[in-house]
Amino acid sequence: MKELLKILILEDSTADAEIIQRFLVKKKLNCEFAVSNNKETYLVALDQFHPDIILSDHSLPQFNSMDALAVARQRFPGIPFIMVTGTVSEEFAADIIKSGADDYILKDRLTRLPAAIDAILRQRKTEKEKLEATQKLKRSEENYRAIMERVSDGFVALDKDGHYTYVNKKAGEIMRCKPKELIGKHICTEFPEAS
């Protein structure tokens, strides 16, 4: 069984919201839906429903997809946002993508929606994994540097071409310079006999 996907639909037409829900369920997506038809219920749904993805119509009374996107990006920057609407100009579609929407689907082309959702969720997962790996690497590097600063011996690290990539405080004292001054320099600048 696929993981439950919580979808927030911002749509003022009850019929259109039902069509979208039926279409996604028919495509065998394991979904739970919340439907909002104005700004107030949208804000409540963001805070209480905690959606995995937002599908937004463009025009609602006193609220539109640009406003909904701005609120979503401010509160929960990582939530995928797809505009699902009737007709919009190509210029507007380009503008909403530039503003941070992940995609836009015309209501008469809903067949694209499951693939768009899948692609966006896979992209977000990849981005999250990459960020986690980067953070893990950074923590590991910080731990390594902390250990190297505590050793009582001088320690330097060189890249494969012989340039300093790390110099601990003790090595800086031994070479009578600040460790940061050596980073990027070749070992031969301090030890010409090494060349």
Side-chain angles (χ1 to χ4, degrees), residues 77-80 102 119-135:
I79 295 178
D102 294 281
I120 290 164
L121 292 175
R122 273 190 279 117
Q123 178 184 353
R124 285 295 199 281
K125 183 179 178 188
T126 301
E127 289 169 358
K128 182 180 177 187
E129 289 170 353
K130 189 176 180 181
L131 178 63
E132 288 171 355
T134 301
Q135 289 172 340

Side-chain angles (χ1 to χ4, degrees), residues 87-145:
T87 58
V88 292
S89 69
E90 288 182 26
E91 182 181 336
F92 179 80
D95 285 345
I96 197 155
I97 296 294
K98 286 179 193 171
S99 297
D102 294 281
D103 205 346
Y104 77 96
I105 308 287
L106 296 177
K107 288 179 181 175
D108 62 356
R109 296 193 178 116
L110 282 181
T111 53
R112 279 192 57 230
L113 188 56
I117 290 172
D118 186 53
I120 290 164
L121 292 175
R122 273 190 279 117
Q123 178 184 353
R124 285 295 199 281
K125 183 179 178 188
T126 301
E127 289 169 358
K128 182 180 177 187
E129 289 170 353
K130 189 176 180 181
L131 178 63
E132 288 171 355
T134 301
Q135 289 172 340
K136 186 176 179 181
L137 181 62
K138 185 179 178 185
R139 283 191 303 273
S140 176
E141 188 174 300
E142 288 169 355
N143 290 340
Y144 170 78
R145 289 182 188 273

Side-chain angles (χ1 to χ4, degrees), residues 16-190:
D16 286 354
E18 288 175 5
I19 289 169
I20 292 168
Q21 290 176 70
R22 272 187 272 134
F23 182 79
L24 292 175
V25 169
K26 185 179 174 184
K27 293 296 179 182
K28 309 262 190 274
L29 292 178
N30 183 20
C31 304
E32 179 181 348
F33 299 97
V35 179
S36 299
N37 61 7
N38 58 46
K39 184 176 183 177
E40 292 73 30
T41 58
Y42 176 69
L43 295 174
V44 170
L46 283 175
D47 290 335
Q48 294 179 3
F49 182 64
H50 306 287
D52 298 308
I53 194 162
I54 299 167
L55 307 178
S56 174
D57 188 16
H58 173 56
S59 297
L60 293 95
Q62 290 116 29
F63 198 52
N64 65 36
S65 58
M66 285 292 220
D67 297 331
L69 175 61
V71 169
R73 290 296 174 252
Q74 181 181 21
R75 288 183 172 201
F76 306 101
I79 295 178
F81 188 100
I82 300 176
M83 186 176 69
V84 180
T85 192
T87 58
V88 292
S89 69
E90 288 182 26
E91 182 181 336
F92 179 80
D95 285 345
I96 197 155
I97 296 294
K98 286 179 193 171
S99 297
D102 294 281
D103 205 346
Y104 77 96
I105 308 287
L106 296 177
K107 288 179 181 175
D108 62 356
R109 296 193 178 116
L110 282 181
T111 53
R112 279 192 57 230
L113 188 56
I117 290 172
D118 186 53
I120 290 164
L121 292 175
R122 273 190 279 117
Q123 178 184 353
R124 285 295 199 281
K125 183 179 178 188
T126 301
E127 289 169 358
K128 182 180 177 187
E129 289 170 353
K130 189 176 180 181
L131 178 63
E132 288 171 355
T134 301
Q135 289 172 340
K136 186 176 179 181
L137 181 62
K138 185 179 178 185
R139 283 191 303 273
S140 176
E141 188 174 300
E142 288 169 355
N143 290 340
Y144 170 78
R145 289 182 188 273
I147 290 167
M148 290 302 111
E149 285 303 320
R150 284 183 275 203
V151 297
S152 58
D153 297 328
F155 180 85
V156 299
L158 305 170
D159 65 15
K160 63 181 175 69
D161 297 319
H163 295 93
Y164 292 100
T165 59
Y166 179 77
V167 178
N168 75 353
K169 188 176 180 180
K170 185 66 174 178
E173 291 170 6
I174 293 168
M175 293 189 281
R176 297 185 181 154
C177 64
K178 293 181 181 175
K180 289 185 179 188
E181 293 173 355
L182 291 172
I183 304 301
K185 290 186 177 177
H186 196 275
I187 190 169
C188 292
T189 57
E190 292 298 312

